[in-house]
Amino acid sequence: MTAPTRTRLAPEQRRTQLLDLGVRLLATRSLDELSIDVLAEEAGISRGLLYHYFGGKHAFHEAVVRHAADDLIAQTAPPEGGEPLERLLASVTAYVDYVVANHAGYQSLVKAAASGNDVLREIYEDARSALTGRIFTEDPWGDLIPDTPVNRLVVRGWSAMVEELVLAWVADPADVPRDRLLELVAGSLPALVESAGS
């Protein structure tokens, strides 16, 4: 029996393939558990090749987290058409689904951002800014939320609340149905903006 032939990939394709694998592995383990040895074994390549692409463990972790953050931003993009509140609900639904599917990795990203690692905190903040900023850029006429300094502050606080609610719900749903969580999360933003009165 002959061994399967490997397809030779261009360096950027191989790097992307390794990052995709890193993100998949991060879905079921913490960032600390995602070692170069684990990835090399899963990818069927040498540790040396991983060091060639990423330089070391910290650079590898940072690259995987950045790739995961980019995936989160892409997967939670609201649909192009529809009413603003429906689009917000679709985006929130995609966010909840992402956190459910990638719980360990997402939780480790949140912890890493709070741990003092400046690069991981920057990746986390960039992702949060992209997610909250799109509320205004995707609704340029302010049909759902007018773009004001107060509303930007409210949206930032809302996003922190959403993250905590979703992580707590994934850890222990406590008889709260998914649909109820989604209604609560999507409906709370217009209510907060209205109470801010801006």
Side-chain angles (χ1 to χ4, degrees):
M1 183 173 193
T2 59
T5 57
R6 284 195 201 177
T7 304
R8 188 157 180 85
L9 299 174
E12 195 54 38
Q13 290 174 310
R14 174 66 76 186
R15 189 175 192 281
T16 300
Q17 182 186 51
L18 294 172
L19 289 172
D20 288 341
L21 177 58
V23 170
R24 280 197 308 276
L25 292 172
L26 195 58
T28 58
R29 64 193 78 211
S30 72
L31 193 58
D32 292 334
E33 296 169 329
L34 186 59
S35 69
I36 292 220
D37 289 334
V38 168
L39 188 67
E41 183 179 330
E42 289 285 332
I45 60 172
S46 71
R47 292 180 66 204
L49 188 58
L50 279 169
Y51 281 106
H52 168 74
Y53 283 111
F54 301 105
K57 180 180 177 179
H58 293 298
F60 166 64
H61 281 176
E62 290 165 6
V64 168
V65 168
R66 189 169 303 279
H67 198 65
D70 290 345
D71 282 351
L72 170 64
I73 293 164
Q75 289 181 33
T76 58
E80 290 186 18
E83 295 297 317
L85 195 53
E86 291 171 358
R87 297 173 74 233
L88 176 63
L89 180 58
S91 186
V92 166
T93 300
Y95 171 77
V96 170
D97 292 345
Y98 182 90
V99 174
V100 168
N102 301 281
H103 184 246
Y106 187 82
Q107 196 164 30
S108 69
L109 168 61
V110 172
K111 287 179 183 175
S115 73
N117 181 314
D118 290 339
V119 174
L120 295 179
R121 183 172 32 252
E122 181 183 335
I123 294 168
Y124 175 82
E125 287 299 329
D126 287 349
R128 176 172 272 183
S129 293
L131 295 173
T132 58
R134 78 164 43 135
I135 287 173
F136 301 102
T137 58
E138 297 284 332
D139 180 26
W141 298 279
D143 292 335
L144 181 62
I145 301 169
D147 191 355
T148 67
V150 169
N151 285 347
R152 284 196 173 260
L153 188 60
V154 167
V155 168
R156 182 165 174 83
W158 171 80
S159 73
M161 179 192 78
V162 168
E163 181 176 84
E164 180 59 31
L165 279 172
V166 173
L167 285 171
W169 181 81
V170 172
D172 179 16
D175 294 330
V176 177
R178 178 177 174 276
D179 288 345
R180 180 66 185 112
L181 173 73
L182 294 171
E183 289 170 10
L184 174 66
V185 168
S188 62
L189 181 56
L192 285 169
V193 168
E194 185 178 346
S195 71
S198 55

